[in-house]
Amino acid sequence: MPALTLARFQRITPQQLRAFESAARLLSVTKAAQELYVSQPTVSVQLRELSVTTGQRLFETTGRQIRLTQAGEELYKAVREVAACWQRFEARIAEINGLVSGRLRIAAVTTAEYFVPDLLGPFSAAHQGVEIELAIENRDRVVGRLTQGIDDLAVMMMPPDDLPLERLQFQINPLVIITSSKHALANKTVELNELSTERWLMRESGSGTRMAAEQHFKEHNFKPNVVMSLGSNEAIKHSVAAGLGIAVLSQLALQPSVWSGAQSAAATTKTAVPLDYEALCQAGLSIVKVKDFPIIRHWSVVWRKDNPLSATARHFLDYLQAAAAQKKT
Ligand code: PGA
């Protein structure tokens, strides 16, 4: 803003602006005086001073009526913009203060437990007044919580289509096929249909991992020989390592969190962190290289469109978006 304009602006008092706003809105000095609980001459003086400072006639009189001149219209617009700007500032401050004692309720599907705590860590450290409630459930139960509107946000791979949801996709989620490191298939490259006689271990029904695997198998006309369903990723890993069968699992369940330390720079919404094959082998596991694998899915954070987000949840989304953007650069 040029110095001259600023110098003029500094000579304007809040009382003058209030008198002007009221008179411009009500198109009456008398009514403005009544609204502001001051005398009519007081308002007239304030309007005259404002006119002198701006160097413009702000009102013109037609009979007993006043109306705004073109300059007056412009000033009225500027005053409303300043008021709107101030309201936004106050709302933001209220939001920031609200964070001090806010609560953030997040539901995350079981596979997300491998990285959600690393995401929440820095946020929690930076907002010590925020109480975070994290519920870890399988996909079906997270969808149930979304239906009931229990949480502010949910982290999942396959958001349901039949709920009014907003979503922010922030991380790739490749699903791979694992075997025991002693299995003949370990580190081999094969076609999917060569695996039809294998013993398949699946996550329980209601799991998003299972749902994604089943969709993929169906698309490729493949029927796995499912011998066991297990209720957690860890149970799958241990059973596969023990040689009970092979399974589809999120790559994130096999490696350190992509959001922790140096790893975070390497993962994006398009590229996953490379696997540490040695560590995998030490855990008794190996990846089977299968055509049309990995299944590429993504992690999203979702929230209900019909449930206004709390200031805390919005703040967390901003943080997540910034963290994801940082990983892309
Ligand atoms: P799961 O879910 O952990 O229940 O397999 C993955 C998902 O639905 O995103």
Side-chain angles (χ1 to χ4, degrees), residues 109-111 138-139 156-158 203 206-210 299:
V109 291
T110 38
T111 311
N138 74 10
R139 179 187 181 274
M156 62 199 314
M157 164 175 70
M158 304 178 72
R203 280 282 308 276
S207 142
T209 307
R210 181 179 183 134
W299 291 110

Side-chain angles (χ1 to χ4, degrees), residues 267-285:
T268 70
T269 45
K270 294 217 173 74
T271 342
V273 167
L275 269 172
D276 179 347
Y277 288 96
E278 215 167 290
L280 201 60
C281 193
Q282 272 164 20
L285 295 170

Side-chain angles (χ1 to χ4, degrees), residues 184-202:
L185 287 170
N187 297 319
K188 290 262 164 59
T189 305
V190 292
E191 297 278 332
L192 186 55
N193 57 25
E194 291 177 57
L195 302 178
S196 57
T197 53
E198 291 299 322
R199 294 164 61 81
W200 284 84
L201 312 183
M202 293 289 255

Side-chain angles (χ1 to χ4, degrees), residues 32-305:
Q34 282 165 355
E35 184 176 78
L36 299 171
Y37 299 104
V38 293
S39 68
Q40 192 179 323
T42 305
V43 172
S44 299
V45 168
Q46 282 164 345
L47 294 181
R48 205 173 317 122
E49 284 172 354
L50 195 55
S51 184
V52 170
T53 312
T54 56
Q56 302 293 324
R57 268 182 72 211
L58 302 172
F59 292 97
E60 54 197 8
T61 318
T62 46
R64 293 172 60 87
Q65 286 283 309
I66 59 164
R67 66 165 194 232
L68 286 164
T69 61
Q70 203 180 344
E73 292 280 5
E74 289 304 319
L75 182 61
Y76 186 41
K77 216 193 295 168
V79 168
R80 279 181 303 170
E81 274 170 26
V82 170
C85 186
W86 183 260
Q87 268 167 9
R88 281 199 300 277
F89 163 72
E90 287 199 328
R92 190 75 192 114
I93 293 296
E95 274 187 16
I96 291 166
N97 290 339
L99 287 174
V100 175
S101 56
R103 178 178 297 173
L104 180 61
R105 282 205 184 93
I106 302 189
V109 291
T110 38
T111 311
E113 74 185 340
Y114 294 99
F115 64 90
V116 168
D118 289 309
L119 264 177
L120 290 175
F123 180 80
S124 171
H127 304 95
Q128 309 240 337
V130 176
E131 188 190 330
I132 299 174
E133 279 179 23
L134 173 63
I136 304 278
E137 306 270 17
N138 74 10
R139 179 187 181 274
D140 257 14
R141 284 193 284 268
V142 169
V143 171
R145 294 175 70 102
L146 271 171
T147 309
Q148 291 173 56
I150 295 176
D151 307 289
D152 298 301
L153 303 168
V155 178
M156 62 199 314
M157 164 175 70
M158 304 178 72
D161 294 326
D162 55 351
L163 287 178
L165 298 177
E166 297 276 9
R167 71 181 69 180
L168 167 68
Q169 193 170 294
F170 64 94
Q171 168 69 48
I172 194 169
N173 182 24
L175 303 172
V176 295
I177 298 182
I178 54 168
T179 61
S180 145
S181 52
K182 299 195 188 96
H183 196 290
L185 287 170
N187 297 319
K188 290 262 164 59
T189 305
V190 292
E191 297 278 332
L192 186 55
N193 57 25
E194 291 177 57
L195 302 178
S196 57
T197 53
E198 291 299 322
R199 294 164 61 81
W200 284 84
L201 312 183
M202 293 289 255
R203 280 282 308 276
E204 78 285 6
S205 58
S207 142
T209 307
R210 181 179 183 134
M211 197 172 156
E214 285 176 345
Q215 274 178 11
H216 191 76
F217 290 154
K218 202 167 162 204
E219 280 160 24
H220 291 81
N221 286 321
F222 176 73
K223 286 205 173 46
N225 168 32
V226 179
V227 294
M228 205 186 285
S229 294
L230 295 127
S232 77
N233 292 321
E234 289 303 303
I236 293 266
K237 279 159 65 176
H238 287 294
S239 306
V240 168
L244 299 187
I246 69 174
V248 172
L249 207 61
S250 165
Q251 191 173 305
L252 296 185
L254 303 170
Q255 63 194 122
S257 168
V258 293
W259 293 91
S260 66
Q263 301 282 357
S264 75
T268 70
T269 45
K270 294 217 173 74
T271 342
V273 167
L275 269 172
D276 179 347
Y277 288 96
E278 215 167 290
L280 201 60
C281 193
Q282 272 164 20
L285 295 170
S286 169
I287 304 271
V288 194
K289 297 185 190 106
V290 183
K291 192 166 165 264
D292 300 316
F293 270 82
I295 305 171
I296 299 298
R297 300 278 176 174
H298 290 86
W299 291 110
S300 298
V301 58
V302 303
W303 61 100
R304 288 191 64 124
K305 279 184 188 157

